[in-house]
Amino acid sequence: DVKVTQSSRYLVKRTGEKVFLECVQDMDHENMFWYRQDPGLGLRLIYFSYDVKMKEKGDIPEGYSVSREKKERFSLILESASTNQTSMYLCASSFPRNKSYEQYFGPGTRLTVT
Amino acid sequence: AQSVTQLDSHVSVSEGTPVLLRCNYSSSYSPSLFWYVQHPNKGLQLLLKYTSAATLVKGINGFEAEFKKSETSFHLTKPSAHMSDAAEYFCVVSFSGGYQKVTFGTGTKLQVIP
């Protein structure tokens, strides 16, 4: 079974802090994704990566950056956390040669910025 | 451009009665379509997927969905609701384009009344 893990289930940070969210997958997937989930808005793509050291902006990249130094690990960075970044963050991975583009999700990190 | 619309943000059914969650999509290319389920405080789990094979797709836990190209719909159904089906359901579309972009619907919360 594919396993996608996220470093924290719940996180509370203060405004202005630098925040790191870590995601690790164990299936050698090339593609990895970061989403945020907010009530009534569904999932919105922040960034994705299709290879080590490669990254592409998603629909809402402002205020975020990412790092992919190893294939299995994809980090989301909030350079200076703000209250409007309070949300559920979901990481996903997929295998690009699987043409159905099925994504496998981690359990999520619920981030609260106070 | 591709988009997906989930027509109901909330659906309430009695236990043992049929479930219908509606999804319409638009896509310039041949789409792949998915339904994911999210139980409270959990990540997303794939229920079923359509990838241009049989138009009636069977998934886990007794769910199924039918791809209707003429109606651009991919509605999710189950003959008899169970209490454990109470969750949020997301319809997702992707296409066989240059990169792996998926678009999520805004979700439908299913309430099952005993």
Side-chain angles (χ1 to χ4, degrees), chain A residues 9-10 31 33 35 37-45 48 59 88 90 93-108 110, chain B residues 6 9 32-34 36 38 40-46 49-51 88 90 92 94-107 109:
Chain A
R9 292 299 307 276
Y10 300 93
N31 295 344
F33 308 80
Y35 296 89
Q37 181 181 15
D38 300 287
L41 298 177
L43 274 72
R44 294 179 291 167
L45 182 65
F48 69 98
D59 300 317
M88 170 72 95
L90 291 164
S93 70
S94 70
F95 185 54
R97 283 181 284 280
N98 176 354
K99 292 183 179 178
S100 71
Y101 302 127
E102 175 183 343
Q103 296 190 5
Y104 297 85
F105 285 84
R110 187 166 294 281
Chain B
Q6 291 184 244
S9 58
S32 293
L33 293 155
F34 308 82
Y36 284 84
Q38 185 181 34
N41 299 312
K42 296 284 179 67
L44 275 71
Q45 179 186 16
L46 181 70
K49 62 184 177 184
Y50 165 78
T51 55
E88 190 160 19
F90 293 92
V92 180
S94 71
F95 67 92
S96 304
Y99 74 96
Q100 194 176 113
K101 171 118 190 230
V102 298
T103 301
F104 284 79
T106 51
K109 280 194 175 161

